[in-house]
Amino acid sequence: MTIDWGSVTHITKVDPADPLPDDASVLGHTDLVIVGGSDGVTESNTLATIERIATEAPDIPVWQEPYSGSHVSKDTIEAVDNVAVPAVYNGDSANFVDKHVDFFTQAARKPAQLTGANLPLVGDIVESKGRDAVTDLTDAVLAEGYVVQNLDSKAAAESGVDTLYTPEQVAGAALATESFFDFPVFYVEYSGTYGGPADVEAAAQYLEDTTLLYGGGIQNGTQTRAILDAGADAVVVGDIFHEDPDRFIDTIP
């Protein structure tokens, strides 16, 4: 599915391991939902979360952003609009190059050889769909250039991040995302803490065709507007959706 980024300013990241609010229909006020997390996430609770979102906010597009291939299956791929795969610039090489090369190396093999491989594929997806399954999967994958800017976050631990980027380095990563890698999304991730507009301002000056997302610590509309005014196309909120749906509504521009 192609996202109309001109109509997207607010994105909600939903962690399948965290309880959803009793009334998850508040997601109908956001523009896009990304389902993903690390601790406690399984293919089963991911699919259950995606299905509940589809029931309570049926008009909202949904992406899956897996931290592990074990979180993805034939059913999750078919239930979402895209599978977003982060390439973390300031992480270790395994989280930028190695795992992606390995993924597509395996995907390029004969379909029968993919069964049981450590890919975002499980069960009988390859046996049942053959090479079409590989085509469907690669068509669904969307790459995100990522910079993780909170060393104390789970995202940093998962991605091997031990160094924060300066605004100048964030700008360089943004330029590489658009001009060299041609990824459709560049994501500045502060993961649980509010980083302010400096990195967004640095990145925005180099992005014309690439969508610029900021996530981390958004608690109110004032912070949302500050990030959008700095040049982000959309903010990504997460914790506040799970913790306080009423305050979550206040983050929507």
Side-chain angles (χ1 to χ4, degrees):
M1 176 182 181
T2 300
I3 299 294
D4 176 13
W5 288 109
S7 63
V8 176
T9 57
H10 188 275
I11 299 170
T12 304
K13 184 171 284 189
V14 177
D15 190 330
D18 290 340
L20 270 65
D22 291 338
D23 181 9
S25 66
V26 293
L27 288 173
H29 298 283
T30 196
D31 301 313
L32 170 68
V33 174
I34 299 175
V35 177
S38 52
D39 292 352
V41 175
T42 65
E43 182 275 336
S44 178
N45 61 22
T46 296
L47 182 60
T49 299
I50 293 167
E51 289 176 339
R52 183 168 171 199
I53 293 167
T55 298
E56 300 207 31
D59 297 327
I60 305 302
V62 179
W63 288 3
Q64 183 181 7
E65 188 181 76
Y67 279 69
S68 166
S70 65
H71 300 169
V72 188
S73 70
K74 170 180 177 289
D75 291 333
T76 66
I77 292 168
E78 292 181 344
V80 297
D81 297 290
N82 289 101
V83 178
V85 179
V88 183
Y89 287 100
N90 57 334
D92 57 30
S93 64
N95 285 281
F96 186 79
V97 176
D98 296 354
K99 72 178 181 181
H100 304 101
V101 172
D102 182 61
F103 171 84
F104 285 105
T105 297
Q106 293 188 59
R109 294 174 182 166
K110 292 181 180 180
Q113 294 175 315
L114 288 172
T115 306
N118 185 26
L119 288 171
L121 297 165
V122 298
D124 63 352
I125 178 172
V126 176
E127 289 294 325
S128 64
K129 286 195 168 184
R131 192 168 297 279
D132 288 344
V134 179
T135 301
D136 290 345
L137 173 64
T138 54
D139 285 348
V141 169
L142 180 151
E144 302 172 295
Y146 237 76
V147 175
V148 176
Q149 293 286 73
N150 180 1
L151 293 181
D152 296 325
S153 66
K154 292 178 182 177
E158 289 284 340
S159 305
V161 173
D162 58 14
T163 302
L164 301 181
Y165 272 5
T166 65
E168 291 78 13
Q169 289 172 307
V170 171
L175 181 59
T177 297
E178 174 149 317
S179 300
F180 185 74
F181 294 107
D182 197 27
F183 295 158
V185 173
F186 181 67
Y187 193 142
V188 178
E189 172 66 279
Y190 271 84
S191 193
T193 188
Y194 182 65
D199 285 346
V200 173
E201 291 173 346
Q205 61 184 317
Y206 293 109
L207 300 178
E208 294 184 6
D209 300 321
T210 303
T211 298
L212 175 56
L213 307 182
Y214 167 91
I218 297 288
Q219 298 289 315
N220 52 59
T222 299
Q223 291 174 329
T224 295
R225 287 188 292 274
I227 296 299
L228 295 177
D229 289 346
D233 293 291
V235 298
V236 182
V237 302
D239 292 344
I240 198 169
F241 163 71
H242 290 281
E243 296 167 358
D244 192 335
D246 291 334
R247 289 176 58 213
F248 162 78
I249 293 294
D250 290 340
T251 68
I252 298 172

